[in-house]
Amino acid sequence: MLVKMEDRLDPDAVIEEFEALSRDAGRVQKETLKKILEENGETEYLLKWGLDGKTDPDSFKSCVPLVTHEDFEPYIQRIAHGENSPILTGKPITTISLSSGTSQGKPKFVPFNDELLENTMQIYKTSFSFRNREYPIGNGKALQFIYGSRQFKTKGGLAAGTATTNVYSDEKFKTTMRAMQTSCSSPDEVIFSTNCEESLYCHLLCGLIFRDQVQVVSSTFAHGIVHAFRTFEGKWEDLVSDIRRGELCSQIKTPSLRTAMSKVLNPDPGLANMIYNKCLGLSNWYGVIQELFPNTKYIYGIMTGSMEPYLKKLRHYAGNLPLLSADYGASEGWIGANVNPKLPPEFATFAVLPNIGYFEFIPLKEDSNVERQPIGLTEVKIGKEYEIVVTNFAGLYRYRLGDVVKVKGFHNSTPELQFICRGNLLLTINIDKNTEKDLQLAVEAAARLLEEEKVEVVDFTSGIDSSTEPAHYVIYWEISGEASDELLKECCNCLDKSFVDAGYASSRKLSTIGALELRILKKGTFHKILDHFVELGAAVSQFKTPRCVGTKNHTVLQILRNNVVKNYFSSAF
């Protein structure tokens, strides 16, 4: 049950409730599963597996199989097409969430309902309460780089949009933000504009207008904040001019944005001069966030997993401001809240809320001949890695999320998880197995070589080129400036040597995997990829650069191939 909330959130009461839940996580998990099965026991999906009204974990696990999204897709499609019978949930599903689509090349459809919205608000309030204990904020605003995607109707008339859009468009989101004293500095027209570039410009402008009130700078993902301030580097003089004149620049064409911004924009030469002088006084934009928004307490967003490569640039923009990693979840639902906000993002952990779903954990293979049986939330072991299985209130049962996590400790009796990687994101040709984390570490090692020429990796991805014999890894880099051929060849060799997986190293030595190839991309290539996913229905704030582009991801592969300006082959082996 959520803590009652009037005008302001009572963080102490929220923390007290979380402590009670986490002290008896095993019992809460059983009750949560029982509630899910009682509410949905008469659905077509659960009847199919012969539970016959049983709601205990053992019966559930023995009757209902482990599944992936592919198994649920036919059921979700029927719901999206308007079938009214109880297919996955007892209560009708009225909204569909779209995943970002960056992993598989197209968005997945996932059921969304009021229970998932309530879970979202519970997660937000829980992590805020722990954050506020360490970094208290007064009544101010948040410069939130958040964007709604285009919502549309499915064939059956259900509202469909990204998970973030479904949350941002609900009145409960605004009520919760007000209660947490962090209302968005931008009006709704900016958040829900269909023109993302214009929207970002207006977010920046609103932030500058309310600069003294801004206490938090955030986005769904760290990439969103880095992208915003990279854009600011090129647009700051236009923004200053708008503030000086009290009029939005002519580049912003959308009528709803122009109308909304006219209500907050007044001529303010004094503010314009201050911002102008502060920008001129910065050294390579170091500490720009701290300088422009002096009352900011911290930077907030998801900073783990595929967001870690952006942390160096984010720290550059943030100056001395702390970076706090937001909570752990997916389009399918939430897992845990960050209740240790002082931990650096690289070490962030997430305490599982035992009442927002039923969770199982598949131990990662140590012996490939041993069948891995999922275990319960309170049975996991510190230091071990697991794949997460989710059962939620929106019709997903024993759903393999595909995420790999490590148990770092316990908060009372609920585990604190560290996100490791997406389990299905592998570079592999034969016996080699490299994860997203392995790729990230290799790129970080090679990118350090660029620092001597004051060049940085703006973004990166990878793939396998099977058109050669033998096949080989391809790493794509977009870099911030010019680097010599000699240095880029050195980077290419470093990348090749930095994949320390034994299967990869031995395959390279035996020439059963070809020389790694580094392809340098035109500036703006990753922006084209972002635009592609936005056209598919993704929200800018939900975008994650795909770290491994397979052959099924035709359009992204084509964008990458069409924008290569140089390429290098490793001579490391």
Side-chain angles (χ1 to χ4, degrees):
M1 190 184 80
L2 294 180
V3 173
K4 294 287 180 191
M5 182 179 67
E6 302 301 332
D7 294 337
R8 284 194 183 180
L9 189 70
D10 180 351
D12 291 338
V14 175
I15 289 172
E16 191 179 320
E17 181 184 348
F18 173 74
E19 295 291 351
L21 287 169
S22 63
R23 270 193 293 271
D24 204 356
R27 178 186 59 79
V28 174
Q29 277 283 274
K30 287 177 184 174
E31 288 176 357
T32 302
L33 178 63
K34 183 181 180 187
K35 186 179 178 188
I36 291 171
L37 296 180
E38 282 177 348
E39 287 181 7
N40 304 297
E42 295 302 308
T43 57
E44 177 186 325
Y45 185 80
L46 287 179
L47 286 172
K48 171 183 175 181
W49 300 112
L51 270 172
D52 297 327
K54 293 189 282 289
T55 60
D56 62 284
D58 288 342
S59 300
F60 178 62
K61 291 176 188 178
S62 63
C63 293
V64 180
L66 293 168
V67 291
T68 63
H69 187 270
E70 200 176 333
D71 299 297
F72 273 116
E73 204 162 0
Y75 298 95
I76 296 170
Q77 285 297 335
R78 285 169 54 201
I79 293 167
H81 289 165
E83 278 196 43
N84 288 321
S85 60
I87 298 170
L88 292 174
T89 55
K91 286 188 271 185
I93 293 287
T94 56
T95 309
I96 295 290
S97 282
L98 277 69
S99 71
S100 62
T102 48
S103 298
Q104 305 302 322
K106 62 176 185 177
K108 293 182 295 193
F109 277 24
V110 180
F112 185 87
N113 61 9
D114 287 343
E115 283 84 356
L116 285 194
L117 182 67
E118 289 291 344
N119 290 347
T120 304
M121 296 309 114
Q122 185 183 356
I123 285 271
Y124 283 0
K125 287 184 266 190
T126 301
S127 59
F128 171 80
S129 298
F130 281 93
R131 270 198 317 282
N132 209 50
R133 196 161 67 174
E134 304 292 347
Y135 305 98
I137 61 173
N139 195 17
K141 292 184 182 291
L143 172 51
Q144 294 179 294
F145 296 104
I146 56 176
Y147 311 84
S149 66
R150 289 192 302 272
Q151 283 190 300
F152 62 93
K153 294 286 184 185
T154 66
K155 285 182 185 176
L158 279 71
T162 60
T164 49
T165 302
N166 292 334
V167 171
Y168 299 151
S169 59
D170 196 282
E171 191 56 39
K172 284 181 183 172
F173 172 73
K174 293 176 202 166
T175 306
T176 301
M177 290 300 109
R178 284 194 298 270
M180 290 168 17
Q181 305 172 68
T182 49
S183 292
C184 186
S185 57
S186 304
D188 279 359
E189 290 85 350
V190 173
I191 297 170
F192 294 103
S193 169
T194 53
N195 188 315
C196 301
E197 288 186 23
E198 292 187 5
S199 215
L200 170 53
Y201 185 93
C202 292
H203 272 313
L204 288 165
L205 188 54
C206 288
L208 293 171
I209 292 166
F210 298 111
R211 67 183 291 270
D212 289 329
Q213 295 178 52
V214 170
Q215 301 201 54
V216 179
V217 174
S218 71
S219 186
T220 308
F221 291 112
H223 170 268
I225 306 171
V226 170
H227 175 59
F229 285 96
R230 277 202 172 114
T231 301
F232 180 82
E233 288 185 37
K235 299 285 186 184
W236 71 276
E237 288 178 286
D238 291 336
L239 291 159
V240 167
S241 176
D242 289 359
I243 292 169
R244 190 183 306 283
R245 294 180 299 109
E247 188 179 328
L248 197 58
C249 70
S250 59
Q251 296 165 24
I252 309 303
K253 309 286 188 191
T254 307
S256 61
L257 284 178
R258 297 196 68 85
T259 302
M261 292 305 295
S262 69
K263 294 173 185 173
V264 296
L265 192 55
N266 296 300
D268 195 336
L271 178 60
N273 289 339
M274 182 199 295
I275 294 166
Y276 185 84
N277 290 329
K278 283 185 180 296
C279 288
L280 284 184
L282 290 169
S283 172
N284 194 26
W285 299 102
Y286 177 80
V288 60
I289 299 175
Q290 195 171 26
E291 197 63 35
L292 293 182
F293 309 102
N295 295 313
T296 303
K297 302 295 190 296
Y298 52 82
I299 313 293
Y300 188 65
I302 293 170
M303 299 181 188
T304 52
S306 60
M307 293 299 120
E308 278 191 34
Y310 305 109
L311 291 180
K312 184 180 178 184
K313 190 67 174 177
L314 188 53
R315 286 194 170 104
H316 179 82
Y317 287 140
N320 295 319
L321 289 169
L323 305 187
L324 276 59
S325 190
D327 309 304
Y328 173 33
S331 298
E332 292 88 346
W334 289 99
I335 311 294
N338 183 354
V339 300
N340 299 303
K342 286 205 155 182
L343 287 175
E346 293 89 342
F347 303 102
T349 60
F350 308 95
V352 179
L353 271 67
N355 68 330
I356 63 173
Y358 181 73
F359 302 101
E360 299 171 70
F361 296 82
I362 303 173
L364 282 203
K365 280 184 183 177
E366 291 180 359
D367 182 344
S368 57
N369 296 316
V370 176
E371 191 176 349
R372 301 170 298 152
Q373 293 298 328
I375 57 176
L377 181 74
T378 58
E379 299 170 304
V380 294
K381 305 293 183 194
I382 293 174
K384 296 292 185 183
E385 293 186 1
Y386 300 90
E387 181 193 338
I388 295 187
V389 177
V390 174
T391 296
N392 71 11
F393 285 93
L396 299 182
Y397 307 98
R398 304 201 81 201
Y399 180 95
R400 296 179 74 155
L401 199 57
D403 288 358
V404 175
V405 295
K406 178 182 270 191
V407 179
K408 298 298 286 183
F410 282 84
H411 188 102
N412 296 322
S413 64
T414 198
E416 292 183 335
L417 309 176
Q418 182 180 38
F419 179 86
I420 300 298
C421 63
R422 293 284 296 166
N424 60 354
L425 210 155
L426 288 173
L427 280 168
T428 179
I429 292 172
N430 46 52
I431 60 169
D432 54 310
K433 283 184 174 57
N434 282 298
T435 66
E436 181 179 345
K437 188 71 176 175
D438 298 321
L439 171 65
Q440 181 190 319
L441 291 171
V443 169
E444 283 175 0
R448 281 194 282 274
L449 300 175
L450 291 175
E451 290 173 6
E452 63 191 63
E453 292 192 14
K454 295 193 171 153
V455 175
E456 61 188 12
V457 176
V458 173
D459 219 334
F460 66 92
T461 189
S462 67
I464 303 289
D465 186 343
S466 301
S467 66
T468 60
E469 182 58 47
H472 65 278
Y473 287 12
V474 179
I475 310 298
Y476 298 90
W477 274 8
E478 183 181 327
I479 55 178
S480 62
E482 293 298 317
S484 66
D485 285 340
E486 187 182 350
L487 179 58
L488 289 170
K489 282 176 187 171
E490 197 181 336
C491 289
C492 184
N493 287 346
C494 181
L495 283 165
D496 206 5
K497 288 185 290 188
S498 295
F499 285 105
V500 294
D501 169 65
Y504 181 77
S506 62
S507 296
R508 284 288 288 115
K509 286 169 186 170
L510 294 168
S511 297
T512 53
I513 292 178
L516 180 143
E517 182 182 2
L518 172 61
R519 296 180 185 175
I520 305 299
L521 302 166
K522 289 179 192 169
K523 280 188 181 176
T525 300
F526 283 96
H527 204 292
K528 290 178 184 176
I529 293 171
L530 166 62
D531 290 341
H532 162 67
F533 283 108
V534 169
E535 281 173 24
L536 288 179
V540 175
S541 49
Q542 201 171 322
F543 174 75
K544 292 175 288 194
T545 298
R547 292 296 178 215
C548 184
V549 180
T551 51
K552 289 182 181 176
N553 218 333
H554 304 292
T555 309
V556 175
L557 210 49
Q558 206 56 50
I559 292 169
L560 290 168
R561 287 171 176 168
N562 290 346
N563 286 278
V564 175
V565 290
K566 291 180 181 178
N567 70 315
Y568 305 88
F569 284 93
S570 166
S571 55
F573 289 89

